[in-house]
């Protein structure tokens, strides 16, 4: 039996990716689409500027976009994927949870709330049970689950593979694609022939979310990992795929070869959207590259290469597809985890 799902913010960059991933999904059936008041009441094909690389599914094209409020979503929808601007998510996601919907959200609001699971299933699936605390505290029949920022999702799985060496300090510099800012995020006049060495709020997300994701859950609360993280974020003129340069200092000795082996052997999960391998490891110093490697594992894999020793410990580069692994695919995978764990 399939779970009926809705998409909040269905007309945007991430919303379109969600439609692309959910339409063929055997466990989920798209039953509701919402967007801003400017789009509500219109046929999806008339208000979505469709830009992903497969056609709009016929059934979705003809659906009427609803308002983003609980009364506008049918009661038999159980799971909502949210790709709303974070200010909008902060305002409306709690209303949906209170009305009984389970929400798997991309938006950055509430990611660090103590009772909201921030999940990369291959890294910290056990944190999902903080939902019991959430339901007790908030009295919700529904639930709110978050996936991390797209650039956090890129480097955290590679760090998860190295935790046994004792992570002490991490420096990460990102080269992030324009799609990460949404369709209206960066104008062509700003980004062509250019790189922008600041992305508002992004550094803080990498520094805080990574420690939360690698933290431990004791059944009552999540304790953050004690590593220190410093991030520097750059927007560059690639379309999709965030590339990151990482330096890691560990307590135990960690050679480039040992790091490569740990990443290559990092276990995949038995969930439909979890790729195997999770981390593709390259021997080449000039890989991964966004255009060549972002679609590995149908866009759900992380890739890593260029492992070498440096003055600041191990150095390597990693990459993932920001609107698939970093956003829509991450939410879908969290939906699969919710289903497997009986929350739907
Ligand atoms: P986007 O392209 O700007 O799309 C925003 C969506 O939200 C549209 O469907 C829009 O509908 C809807 N919306 C805007 N204002 C609204 C309102 N007041 N009420 C209801 N709906 C409203 O943004 P995006 O890139 O898809 O990002 C969506 C979220 O995912 C953001 O929180 C972003 O930070 C997060 N995220 C994005 C990425 C990425 O790589 N792009 C990665 C990770 C996380 P209309 O078409 O009607 O305006």
């Amino acid at each position: 039996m399939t779970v009926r799902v809705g998409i909040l913010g269905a007309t945007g960059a991430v919303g379109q990716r969600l439609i692309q991933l959910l339409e063929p999904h055997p466990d989920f059936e798209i039953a509701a689409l919402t967007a801003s008041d400017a789009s509500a009441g219109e046929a999806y094909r008339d208000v979505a500027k469709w830009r992903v690389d497969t056609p709009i599914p016929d059934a979705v094209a003809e659906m009427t976009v609803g308002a983003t409020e609980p009364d506008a979503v049918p009661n038999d929808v159980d799971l909502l994927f949210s790709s709303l601007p974070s200010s909008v998510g902060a305002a409306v996601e709690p209303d949906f949870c209170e009305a009984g919907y389970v929400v798997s959200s991309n938006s950055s609001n509430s990611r660090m709330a103590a009772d909201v699971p921030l999940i990369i299933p291959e890294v910290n699936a056990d944190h999902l049970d903080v939902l019991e605390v959430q339901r007790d505290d908030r009295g919700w029949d529904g639930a709110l689950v978050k996936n991390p920022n797209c650039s956090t999702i890129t480097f955290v799985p590679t760090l998860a593979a190295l935790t046994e060496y004792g992570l002490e300090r991490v420096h990460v510099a990102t080269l992030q694609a324009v799609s990460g800012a949404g369709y209206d995020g960066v104008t062509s006049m700003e980004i062509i022939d250019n790189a922008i060495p600041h992305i508002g709020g992004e550094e803080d997300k990498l520094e805080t979310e990574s420690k939360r994701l690698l933290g431990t859950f004791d059944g009552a609360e999540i304790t953050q990992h004690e590593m220190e993280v410093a991030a520097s974020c750059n927007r560059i003129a690639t379309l999709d795929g965030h590339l990151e340069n990482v330096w890691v200092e560990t307590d135990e000795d960690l050679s480039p070869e040992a790091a490569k082996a740990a990443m290559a052997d990092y276990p995949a999960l038995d969930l439909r959207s979890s790729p195997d391998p999770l981390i593709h490891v390259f021997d080449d110093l000039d890989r991964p590259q966004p255009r060549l490697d972002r679609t590995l594992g149908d866009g759900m894999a992380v890739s890593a290469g260029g492992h070498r020793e440096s003055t600041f410990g191990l150095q390597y580069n990693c990459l993932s597809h920001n609107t698939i692994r970093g956003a829509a695919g991450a939410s879908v995978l969290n939906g699969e985890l919710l289903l497997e764990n009986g929350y739907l």
Side-chain angles (χ1 to χ4, degrees), residues 110-118 127 130-131 133-134 137-138 212 217 220-222:
S110 304
R111 280 191 191 140
M112 297 300 291
D115 63 350
V116 174
L118 178 70
H127 290 196
V130 81
L131 283 180
V133 178
Q134 183 187 97
D137 285 357
R138 306 201 192 204
R212 167 72 177 263
F217 177 53
E221 61 182 10
I222 295 161

Side-chain angles (χ1 to χ4, degrees), residues 8-16 34-40 47-48 65 67-68 82-88 92 106-109 111 147-151 177-185 205 242 322-324 326-328:
L8 311 179
T11 50
V14 177
Q16 294 185 18
T34 85
S36 73
D37 289 347
S39 305
V47 287
V65 174
T68 302
S82 172
S83 53
L84 295 165
S86 57
S87 57
V88 181
V92 303
N106 277 285
S107 309
S108 60
N109 55 289
R111 280 191 191 140
N147 52 260
N149 178 271
C150 42
S151 42
V178 291
S179 61
Y183 283 138
D184 301 324
K205 289 174 191 161
H242 292 348
N322 55 293
T323 61
I324 303 180

Side-chain angles (χ1 to χ4, degrees), residues 105-321:
S105 169
N106 277 285
S107 309
S108 60
N109 55 289
S110 304
R111 280 191 191 140
M112 297 300 291
D115 63 350
V116 174
L118 178 70
I119 303 281
I120 300 174
E122 296 93 340
V123 171
N124 65 333
D126 63 308
H127 290 196
L128 190 68
D129 288 340
V130 81
L131 283 180
E132 304 300 335
V133 178
Q134 183 187 97
R135 284 178 161 169
D136 281 353
D137 285 357
R138 306 201 192 204
W140 288 346
D141 290 329
L144 180 61
V145 175
K146 293 278 168 175
N147 52 260
N149 178 271
C150 42
S151 42
T152 307
I153 290 181
T154 305
F155 81 124
V156 165
T158 63
L159 293 181
L162 306 177
T163 51
E164 67 182 276
Y165 292 91
L167 300 170
E168 290 197 327
R169 265 174 300 281
V170 178
H171 294 82
V172 54
T174 71
L175 299 98
Q176 299 183 215
V178 291
S179 61
Y183 283 138
D184 301 324
V186 188
T187 67
S188 55
M189 289 296 282
E190 285 175 290
I191 200 66
I192 293 174
D193 186 32
N194 206 8
I196 303 170
H198 175 68
I199 302 176
E202 199 85 346
E203 284 92 355
D204 182 60
K205 289 174 191 161
L206 273 80
E207 291 168 2
T208 56
E209 293 175 10
S210 55
K211 290 191 264 200
R212 167 72 177 263
L213 286 157
L214 295 177
T216 51
F217 177 53
D218 65 5
E221 61 182 10
I222 295 161
T223 303
Q224 302 216 7
H225 197 288
E226 288 182 348
M227 66 184 176
E228 296 174 273
V229 183
S232 180
C233 296
N234 302 278
R235 184 77 67 200
I236 63 164
T238 45
L239 193 55
D240 290 314
H242 292 348
L243 178 65
E244 304 185 353
N245 312 129
V246 186
W247 292 258
V248 183
E249 294 173 60
T250 50
D251 186 30
E252 307 279 325
D253 285 345
L254 174 59
S255 70
E257 287 312 314
K260 285 167 69 175
M263 290 182 191
D265 294 343
Y266 191 78
L269 272 191
D270 190 20
L271 290 174
R272 185 175 184 273
S273 300
S274 180
D276 190 1
L278 173 63
I279 306 174
H280 283 255
V281 176
F282 290 99
D283 291 325
D284 321 61
L285 288 176
D286 64 352
R287 299 287 285 276
Q289 296 179 18
R291 189 153 46 85
L292 300 181
D293 302 316
R294 62 193 170 206
T295 55
L296 285 168
D298 292 330
M300 287 297 285
V302 172
S303 49
H307 299 75
R308 56 200 185 275
E309 285 176 15
S310 81
T311 311
F312 302 108
L314 173 75
Q315 184 175 355
Y316 61 92
N317 307 313
C318 56
L319 171 84
S320 75
H321 195 300

